[in-house]
Amino acid sequence: MNDSPEYLEKKRFFDSVITLYGRNVAVEVLRDDAVQIHKLHLSKSNRIDETIEEILALAEMRGIEIKYHTKESLSRISKNSAQDQGVAIDVVSQNYRSASNIATDLPSSFRLLALDGINNPQNLGMIVRSAAASKIDGIVLPRRNSTKLSPLVMKASAGTLFKIPIYYCEDLSEILGIKDTAIITLSSHAKDDIHTLKIPSRAIFVLGNETEGVSDAVMRASTHSVSIPMYRGVESLNVAVTAGIVSFLP
Amino acid sequence: MNDSPEYLEKKRFFDSVITLYGRNVAVEVLRDDAVQIHKLHLSKSNRIDETIEEILALAEMRGIEIKYHTKESLSRISKNSAQDQGVAIDVVSQNYRSASNIATDLPSSFRLLALDGINNPQNLGMIVRSAAASKIDGIVLPRRNSTKLSPLVMKASAGTLFKIPIYYCEDLSEILGIKDTAIITLSSHAKDDIHTLKIPSRAIFVLGNETEGVSDAVMRASTHSVSIPMYRGVESLNVAVTAGIVSFLP
C-alpha cells in the first residue's frame, strides 16, 4: 500500500468526487459557486443547443477543465448512458467522505443516520434534505444495495446534497463496530417507543429498506431496536418521513 | 332547502362518495373488501383485456352495479379523460366528510391537519399515510387550490386513503371559526419553536403550499405561528416530512 503524503492527498481528493450527469444538473451545479467542480465531461457527439452553450459558458467563466469523450467512454464515466444526455460532471464535496473517517471526524457525541437498502432516489433526496436541515451530524450511505447519488436524488434534496456529510461505505457492516456507539435500528415490530428512548451520546440510527426493513446482519449488530408507534392498523411510514421524525428528535 | 330525512340521508351518502379512475386503481379497490363501492363506470369503447376482465369479475363477485357510458360522458365522471383509461369507480368512504361536520364529529379535544394549497399528489398521499398512522384525528382538505384525491394520491398513501377522516371544504376559511380551536400555522419564518409549543386541546395545524407557504388569509386568522428550527442554511422541509413531524408530536 502506498501511503506517501501525495498519494494520501490524492486519494482523499478522489474519494470526495461525486460524478453527476445530465444537462440540467450540470447547469445547476455550475451556477452554484459554492459547489466545487473538478472536471466537466462532454460527449463529442453532443449537438450544440442552448443548454450546452450555457454549460460551456459557465465552465469557461469558472475556469473548469473540459474533457471531450466518445459517446461510449462518456457513458462509462456517467455510468448511466440512458440519462446522461452526453454530459457528466465531477463535483468535489468535502462533505462526501469515506466512512472510515467517522471515528476521527466526529465529536465525542454525535448522531448519524445510516441507510440500509434505500432504493428510491426521491426518498434518498428527501432524507438528505431533512437530515441537512436538522442537527444530525451526517448520513451513512452504503454503495451496495442502495440507490446512488444521482440527478434524481439531487432534485429531491432541493439544493441540500452538498450541505451535510455523507459517509460512504461498501456495506454497513463497516460501521457497526465503531467504539462506544449505539446502533439503533428502526423497526415497526420493535416494542420500544422511539420517543421514550434515552438516546446515547454517540448514536447511529439505521433506517431500512422501504419494503423489507433493516437487513438481518444489521439487526443482529444493533444495540437498540425501536419503533414509532402507529395507529389505525397502518403498518409503516414512508422511509423519508421516518427519517424526518428521527432527524428532529429532541 | 330540502331537509327531509331522506334528502339528508341521500346528501350524506353522496357527500361521502369519492370518484377514482384508472384500471389498476379499480382493481385495487375492488379487491379490498374493506372499501365500500357505490358504482363502477365503464366506457363502451373499452377494449376487453385482462385487466378489464378482472374488473368485471370482481364487480360481479361483489354485486356492484356497472354503468356503461360513451367515452365523453365517462370523462365527465372521471374528470380526467387523459388518465381514466375508460374506468371510473365511486368509492363510499364514511371517512370522507364535509368539514361542516367537524364541530359535531370530534371529541372535546382533537388535533387536525389542514392543508393549504398542496399541489403535489405524492406529497398529499404521504401526508395521508403519516396522519393515518398517527393520533391525528383527521385531515382538512380544501377543494380550491389543492390537488384532488386521485390514483396518484392513493398510491402514495400506501393503502391508507380510507383509514383517516378527510374533511373537505371549498376553502379553508370555512374552518377558521370553529369554537375554542387554535389555528396553528407552520412557517419557516415563525420565531416560536413547534417543539416547545404547549399545544391547545383543540388544535388545527395548517401546512402551506410547497413553495409559497400558508396563504395570507389563513395566516391572519391563525392563533399561533410556529416553525421547525432548521440548520445549515436549509430553508424548508418537504411538506410531507413536515406533516410527519407534526403528526407525531407528543
Side-chain angles (χ1 to χ4, degrees):
Chain A
M1 193 179 142
N2 185 340
D3 56 1
S4 70
E6 301 99 84
Y7 172 84
L8 287 175
E9 180 76 13
K10 262 199 176 154
K11 183 175 182 314
R12 197 153 41 231
F13 177 79
F14 282 105
D15 278 353
S16 63
V17 169
I18 308 166
T19 301
L20 294 167
Y21 52 83
R23 296 183 180 193
N24 289 334
V25 165
V27 171
E28 187 180 334
V29 297
L30 283 163
R31 275 189 190 153
D32 185 349
D33 286 332
V35 178
Q36 193 190 333
I37 291 165
H38 174 52
K39 241 178 230 178
L40 173 66
H41 304 275
L42 297 173
S43 166
K44 288 174 190 163
S45 66
N46 283 337
R47 207 168 41 80
I48 307 291
D49 64 4
E50 266 182 44
T51 314
I52 292 285
E53 272 176 2
E54 183 171 3
I55 289 170
L56 290 169
L58 285 164
E60 191 179 358
M61 205 171 69
R62 292 185 54 176
I64 289 158
E65 184 184 348
I66 303 177
K67 278 195 83 172
Y68 287 87
H69 307 265
T70 62
K71 208 165 181 298
E72 291 66 37
S73 70
L74 187 96
S75 68
R76 276 194 294 276
I77 294 168
S78 73
K79 297 194 179 73
N80 193 330
S81 60
Q83 298 184 311
D84 65 28
Q85 303 173 302
V87 177
I89 190 158
D90 296 329
V91 171
V92 188
S93 173
Q94 301 312 328
N95 272 332
Y96 189 62
R97 297 169 65 72
S98 160
S100 60
N101 295 303
I102 290 176
T104 48
D105 268 15
L106 292 174
S108 59
S109 108
F110 63 79
R111 288 188 196 175
L112 296 173
L113 221 52
L115 307 180
D116 188 14
I118 304 300
N119 292 311
N120 179 314
Q122 274 195 302
N123 282 341
L124 178 55
M126 279 198 280
I127 292 170
V128 169
R129 181 175 175 187
S130 300
S134 77
K135 284 181 171 168
I136 287 286
D137 294 287
I139 290 170
V140 184
L141 184 67
R143 289 193 167 126
R144 194 169 302 163
N145 189 24
S146 167
T147 190
K148 303 209 173 343
L149 296 185
S150 71
L152 277 172
V153 175
M154 194 168 156
K155 192 167 174 225
S157 81
T160 64
L161 188 54
F162 307 116
K163 286 190 194 282
I164 181 168
I166 296 183
Y167 291 102
Y168 59 83
C169 52
E170 277 310 306
D171 190 291
L172 280 189
S173 63
E174 293 169 39
I175 58 136
L176 297 177
I178 299 177
K179 220 180 122 185
D180 299 330
T181 302
I183 304 291
I184 305 170
T185 53
L186 272 281
S187 160
S188 53
H189 307 300
K191 284 194 189 65
D192 292 335
D193 182 343
I194 193 168
H195 296 104
T196 56
L197 172 74
K198 202 181 159 305
I199 303 171
S201 63
R202 296 159 65 93
I204 302 179
F205 291 93
V206 187
L207 304 185
N209 180 290
E210 290 89 342
T211 51
E212 289 152 44
V214 172
S215 61
D216 289 345
V218 175
M219 211 46 136
R220 277 194 300 273
S222 70
T223 56
H224 303 68
S225 186
V226 292
S227 65
I228 297 171
M230 281 180 269
Y231 301 88
R232 298 188 179 95
V234 178
E235 284 170 14
S236 68
L237 293 171
N238 175 290
V239 67
V241 171
T242 304
I245 293 171
V246 172
S247 295
F248 286 92
L249 282 175
Chain B
M1 193 180 142
N2 186 341
D3 56 0
S4 69
E6 301 100 81
Y7 172 84
L8 288 175
E9 178 77 13
K10 263 198 173 156
K11 182 176 182 313
R12 199 155 38 232
F13 178 79
F14 283 105
D15 278 352
S16 62
V17 169
I18 308 166
T19 301
L20 294 168
Y21 52 83
R23 296 183 180 194
N24 290 333
V25 165
V27 170
E28 187 180 333
V29 297
L30 282 163
R31 275 189 189 155
D32 185 349
D33 286 332
V35 178
Q36 192 190 333
I37 291 164
H38 174 52
K39 244 179 228 178
L40 173 66
H41 304 274
L42 298 173
S43 166
K44 288 173 191 164
S45 65
N46 284 336
R47 210 168 37 80
I48 307 293
D49 64 4
E50 268 182 43
T51 314
I52 292 285
E53 271 175 2
E54 182 172 4
I55 288 170
L56 290 169
L58 285 165
E60 190 179 0
M61 207 172 68
R62 292 186 55 176
I64 288 158
E65 183 183 349
I66 304 176
K67 279 196 82 171
Y68 287 88
H69 307 265
T70 62
K71 206 163 181 298
E72 292 66 38
S73 70
L74 187 96
S75 69
R76 276 195 293 276
I77 293 168
S78 74
K79 297 195 181 73
N80 193 330
S81 59
Q83 299 185 311
D84 65 29
Q85 302 173 300
V87 177
I89 190 158
D90 296 329
V91 171
V92 187
S93 172
Q94 301 312 329
N95 272 333
Y96 189 62
R97 297 168 67 70
S98 160
S100 60
N101 295 303
I102 290 176
T104 49
D105 268 16
L106 292 173
S108 58
S109 106
F110 63 79
R111 288 187 194 176
L112 296 173
L113 220 54
L115 307 179
D116 187 14
I118 304 300
N119 291 311
N120 179 312
Q122 274 193 302
N123 282 341
L124 178 56
M126 280 197 279
I127 292 170
V128 169
R129 182 174 174 187
S130 301
S134 78
K135 284 181 170 168
I136 287 285
D137 294 286
I139 290 169
V140 184
L141 184 66
R143 289 191 167 128
R144 195 170 302 163
N145 190 22
S146 166
T147 190
K148 304 212 172 340
L149 296 184
S150 70
L152 277 172
V153 175
M154 194 167 157
K155 191 166 175 225
S157 82
T160 64
L161 187 55
F162 307 117
K163 286 192 194 282
I164 180 168
I166 295 182
Y167 292 102
Y168 59 83
C169 52
E170 277 309 307
D171 191 291
L172 280 189
S173 63
E174 293 169 40
I175 59 135
L176 297 178
I178 299 177
K179 222 181 122 185
D180 299 330
T181 301
I183 304 292
I184 305 169
T185 53
L186 273 281
S187 160
S188 53
H189 308 299
K191 285 196 187 63
D192 292 335
D193 182 343
I194 193 169
H195 295 104
T196 55
L197 173 72
K198 200 178 161 305
I199 302 171
S201 63
R202 297 159 66 93
I204 302 179
F205 291 93
V206 187
L207 304 185
N209 179 289
E210 291 90 342
T211 49
E212 290 152 40
V214 172
S215 61
D216 289 345
V218 175
M219 211 45 137
R220 279 194 298 273
S222 70
T223 56
H224 303 69
S225 186
V226 292
S227 65
I228 297 171
M230 282 180 269
Y231 301 88
R232 299 187 177 95
V234 178
E235 284 169 15
S236 69
L237 294 171
N238 175 291
V239 67
V241 171
T242 303
I245 293 171
V246 171
S247 295
F248 285 91
L249 283 174

